[in-house]
Amino acid sequence: MRRFTANCLSVLVLAALAIPASAQNNEVIRVGSKSFTENFILAEIIAQIAEETGEATVERKMGLGDIAIINAALVAGEIDLYAEYSGTLALAILNDQSLRTIDDIRARLAGSGLTISDSFGFNNTSAIAVTRELSERLNLRTISDLRRHPELTAAFGAGYQDRPDGWSGVSAHYNISLAGTRIMDHALKYDAITAGEIDLIDIYSTDGKLQRFDLVVLEDDLEFFPKYYPVMYVREDFIERFPRTWQRLNEELIDSLDDQGMSRLNALVDIDGMSLSNVGATFLQNDVKADGPNTRIWRDVAAHTVEHLYLVVVSVGFAILFGIPLGITAARFRTLGRAALMSVEVVQTIPSLALLVFMIPLFGIGQSPALVALFLYALLPIVRNTYTGMIGLDRQLLEIARVIGLNPWQTLRRIEVPLASLSILSGVKTSAVITVGTATLAAFIGGGGYGTLIIRGLALNDNSIILAGALPAAVMALVIHGGFEMLDRVLIPQGLRLSLNRG
Amino acid sequence: MMRFAKNDPASFLSSNMPKPIQFISFEGVTKRYDSIVAVDDVSCVFEGGKTHVLLGSSGCGKTTLLRLILGLISPDKGWVRIDDRAMSSLTRDELVAEMGYVVQEGGLFPHLTAQQNVSLAANALGWTDQRIADRIAELVKLVGFKDSIMNKFPVELSGGQRQRISLMRALMLDPPILLLDEPLGSLDPLVRDDLQQHLIEIFRKLQKTVMIVTHDIREAAILGETITLMTEGKIVQHGSFQDLATNPSSDFVTAFLQAQELPSHLQGFF
């Protein structure tokens, strides 16, 4: 009975924990960013301007995966605005090549509840780059020159290869074919091309790393690439709610940066390792505080620890609540059980990142879809171990329970579950430890947690930030494992533990 | 080894004694498992208040007979009756009140203490703590235990102690019928002899209808007021050990009894 009461309590606690996740506060400005340096910087600048204006508190939702995710976030109102490029808007978001100018795009967006600002000034066009060494050796100056070298290989950022404004458009426009192309994270491409593993990469013309890695941009001689003017892609209700902030943003940002200016800001982060907040301050000509290497990152780690723990506790908590009864039911009704078990297993075969992305149309971005996806992932070990524990019970003992006069519910509660507790708990333990790891992917859809740091570190090519996310996650997994080992001592009946030790 | 207290021999019967039964009867009972006929058209009457032994090699159908009485399985053909009540008409509650069950190695729940194992059935019926404590005190006396043993887990008990706890559990609700499936099968010989003697005394005191399944002739001879020898799902002979030894119904009976006898040159030692 005591245990049952404890179960009820944990349900209540979980429900209470789940409430703040859904509570929405109107007095918050949510700034999003994609996951590459320039977009981080622009988002940070937007956030700092909004903070200075003081109309609302500002929340940074940085590193929201690819276009599909951040766009869904904007449409769903999970973020209020982010920096997007006119070319991407026309070709990848609105899918219309005829939208040539910012005015065209704004006109097309009319009525959608979304709009865009004017351009910040620079043109961060997409470009194809090779190493200076290769450029000189093969005399590669223009994209057309690639036609002479079908033996070359390329690496592109996720999504770039198939985008009409990406490689599929370039190769058709120039009639180029390469020996091989593969998908690689932005941050890893530079190392790969420098090491000579690949010959060309997609790059942004304002990329601070162009200098650092001594890369040469191939001239777009057949004028394929559209102009990529950065604009604020924003919800109209944001403009209505925070008019002063919107006005300040326009004053500070429109026509404020040229190609070199942006490239310099990018280099400050990518090459000099300056923090985003100081790069933002530099742009706004505010005081640049000495980048204490620790303070900001440790504050972030603390905040992300809370988020990460929340993701794990809530998703595993619900997985326990649903998984154990599901496992028990599966053991009772074998045919039904096989079907249930199989569907849980099918979920497990979906790559975790894909599962997270599937959640976006259903639950938007942020914590809720991450919780649902993590919950689905956490189910299998719990259901599977509960099922195995239950069907492995000594049948004679169950017969005796019947002869003694225990009804099915009493048998379940007093005999079956305690006897299967070892197996059930080890399933819960496995699930919790795995979920700590999987939860780092939640950041890709804005779910927060340690993954936020890992993504930022990858985007900024900064190993210390990656470690600031990865190490605490490993520690958390160990701590949770240790916690469950101690919980075993409480939850596994003494008599069973004794028989294990003696057996 | 402790024996139960000599004074007050029948005190454990004084409380709410259920009605003793007159007989358990099988009428043309057949039970199949897929293509295997476990019990083949068996008809037999077991008198109430006596100790009966079902004897035979493994697979002869003796355990199936026990499980039919327990209501764990029902016959494909024929009737099993307790007095004039057909098994099929009895509810699970009635069956629970009617019989206690002891299996080889005790079948104790490993996660529960001896005390918890014994009181499980009474708990399920909602007995008060006082009533449970009183009944356990009677049973502890009956099997000759110290109270301290009741707080141990099965794994902490010896084989003989486990069987006694199992017997206490079977007797908790004071059922008129006691069914034991190879209760001594896993015990070493000394413990086995001791518990055998003890069981005889307990059965004599309790006057219950006891049915014991065994393949051991010595045990059958010592414990059984009647012996039912079975082979291949059929009863070969039903009677006292004396009957079987002196008046065998077939060569099989003689062969079975002799198979387990000591070689003649060793018999003098016992």
Side-chain angles (χ1 to χ4, degrees), chain A residues 395-406 410 414-416 418-419 493-496 498-499 502-503, chain B residues 67 70-72 92 96 99 101 103-104 106-112 116 120-121 123-124 153 155-156 169 173:
Chain A
R395 287 197 42 210
Q396 191 178 47
L397 287 183
L398 301 184
E399 265 180 18
I400 288 170
R402 212 170 133 214
V403 169
I404 281 177
L406 301 187
Q410 289 166 329
R414 298 222 47 191
I415 309 296
E416 293 176 273
L419 284 177
Q494 192 191 354
L496 270 192
L498 287 172
S499 6
R502 302 207 179 176
Chain B
R67 291 167 60 81
L70 279 161
L72 289 172
R92 177 45 55 190
V96 168
M99 51 195 87
Y101 184 33
V103 299
Q104 193 171 359
L108 297 178
F109 299 111
H111 64 297
L112 300 178
Q116 289 168 327
L120 210 49
N123 269 327
F153 287 101
V155 71
E156 300 171 298
R169 185 173 69 180
L173 302 182

Side-chain angles (χ1 to χ4, degrees), chain A residues 93-345:
Chain A
I93 296 174
L94 299 171
N95 290 314
D96 187 346
Q97 294 194 7
S98 68
L99 302 173
R100 293 264 158 207
T101 66
I102 287 176
D103 286 340
D104 289 346
I105 295 167
R106 197 179 289 129
R108 168 60 61 86
L109 285 169
S112 68
L114 305 172
T115 189
I116 56 171
S117 69
D118 285 333
S119 163
F120 299 171
F122 62 86
N123 171 26
N124 180 0
T125 187
S126 183
I128 304 294
V130 296
T131 58
R132 186 173 304 281
E133 183 273 325
L134 189 73
S135 162
E136 283 164 7
R137 183 156 53 84
L138 299 181
N139 193 26
L140 292 172
R141 298 283 178 258
T142 67
I143 297 179
S144 295
D145 292 341
L146 290 174
R147 242 179 272 139
R148 290 185 278 113
H149 295 283
E151 76 280 8
L152 298 180
T153 59
F156 301 124
Y160 187 82
Q161 186 165 352
D162 299 321
R163 261 160 50 185
D165 65 337
W167 182 249
S168 79
V170 177
S171 57
H173 190 78
Y174 281 90
N175 190 23
I176 303 169
S177 65
L178 295 177
T181 59
R182 54 177 142 150
I183 294 168
M184 210 178 265
D185 189 88
H186 279 299
L188 305 176
K189 286 186 305 193
Y190 306 100
D191 294 324
I193 195 169
T194 311
E197 289 168 28
I198 45 156
D199 304 310
L200 49 125
I201 60 174
D202 64 306
I203 197 165
Y204 297 94
S205 56
T206 53
D207 197 319
K209 292 176 193 126
L210 277 169
Q211 308 156 7
R212 178 178 179 177
F213 292 94
D214 204 15
L215 302 178
V216 174
V217 168
L218 297 180
E219 189 195 329
D220 183 17
D221 53 326
L222 297 183
E223 294 200 335
F224 168 75
F225 289 112
K227 302 297 183 192
Y228 284 79
Y229 297 117
V231 296
M232 286 177 278
Y233 188 23
V234 61
R235 295 177 60 83
E236 283 177 339
D237 62 0
F238 167 80
I239 298 173
E240 286 156 25
R241 274 157 55 218
F242 306 107
R244 282 197 297 125
T245 307
W246 181 242
Q247 195 189 340
R248 275 289 315 279
L249 286 169
N250 280 283
E251 287 166 10
E252 295 279 356
L253 282 168
I254 305 308
D255 285 327
S256 64
L257 278 165
D258 58 12
D259 285 12
Q260 279 79 23
M262 190 66 238
S263 181
R264 199 165 47 81
L265 291 181
N266 284 333
L268 281 179
V269 174
D270 285 340
I271 297 169
D272 302 335
M274 191 187 270
S275 71
L276 285 176
S277 66
N278 273 339
V279 173
T282 306
F283 170 79
L284 294 170
Q285 292 172 340
N286 291 339
D287 291 341
V288 173
K289 299 171 207 93
D291 266 335
N294 294 326
T295 50
R296 172 70 183 272
I297 197 95
W298 289 120
R299 216 173 48 230
D300 283 359
V301 169
H304 292 312
T305 302
V306 175
E307 291 170 355
H308 205 85
L309 204 58
Y310 179 84
L311 286 170
V312 173
V313 168
V314 173
S315 59
V316 175
F318 277 100
I320 292 170
L321 284 181
F322 285 86
I324 295 178
L326 191 61
I328 290 170
T329 314
R332 271 287 147 76
F333 309 100
R334 296 293 166 85
T335 329
L336 195 94
R338 293 250 165 71
L341 216 60
M342 224 149 79
S343 44
V344 173
E345 270 163 10

Side-chain angles (χ1 to χ4, degrees), chain B residues 15 37 53 57 63-64 74 80 99 108 136 152 176 178-179 194 210 213 227 240 250 257 262:
Chain B
S15 61
V37 184
V53 169
S57 325
T63 295
T64 305
S74 27
V80 182
M99 51 195 87
L108 297 178
I136 288 181
K152 295 198 169 174
L178 201 51
L179 304 164
D194 186 70
V210 181
V213 161
I227 292 171
S240 66
S250 70
L257 296 192
L262 284 168

Side-chain angles (χ1 to χ4, degrees), chain B residues 42-176:
Chain B
V42 162
S43 295
C44 192
V45 176
F46 299 95
E47 202 183 326
K50 288 195 168 167
T51 302
H52 306 277
V53 169
L54 300 176
L55 181 66
S57 325
S58 58
C60 72
K62 57 194 193 299
T63 295
T64 305
L65 281 193
L66 210 63
R67 291 167 60 81
L68 283 163
I69 302 172
L70 279 161
L72 289 172
I73 51 175
S74 27
D76 298 326
K77 256 195 250 167
W79 298 93
V80 182
R81 290 185 209 275
I82 297 173
D83 296 342
D84 52 354
R85 297 163 298 168
M87 279 293 302
S88 52
S89 71
L90 295 177
T91 64
R92 177 45 55 190
D93 285 350
E94 287 171 311
L95 288 174
V96 168
E98 208 74 46
M99 51 195 87
Y101 184 33
V102 175
V103 299
Q104 193 171 359
E105 294 181 59
L108 297 178
F109 299 111
H111 64 297
L112 300 178
T113 61
Q115 170 98 16
Q116 289 168 327
N117 264 287
V118 173
S119 49
L120 210 49
N123 269 327
L125 289 177
W127 285 20
T128 62
D129 290 351
Q130 186 56 51
R131 188 172 169 200
I132 291 173
D134 290 349
R135 177 62 183 158
I136 288 181
E138 289 174 354
L139 292 170
V140 165
K141 204 188 282 175
L142 174 69
V143 301
F145 268 161
K146 291 190 185 112
D147 284 339
S148 59
I149 250 180
M150 299 305 291
N151 291 322
K152 295 198 169 174
F153 287 101
V155 71
E156 300 171 298
L157 301 172
S158 72
Q161 287 171 326
R162 277 202 286 269
Q163 283 314 85
R164 279 165 222 250
I165 295 293
S166 185
L167 182 66
M168 285 171 70
R169 185 173 69 180
L171 289 170
M172 185 67 192
L173 302 182
D174 204 3

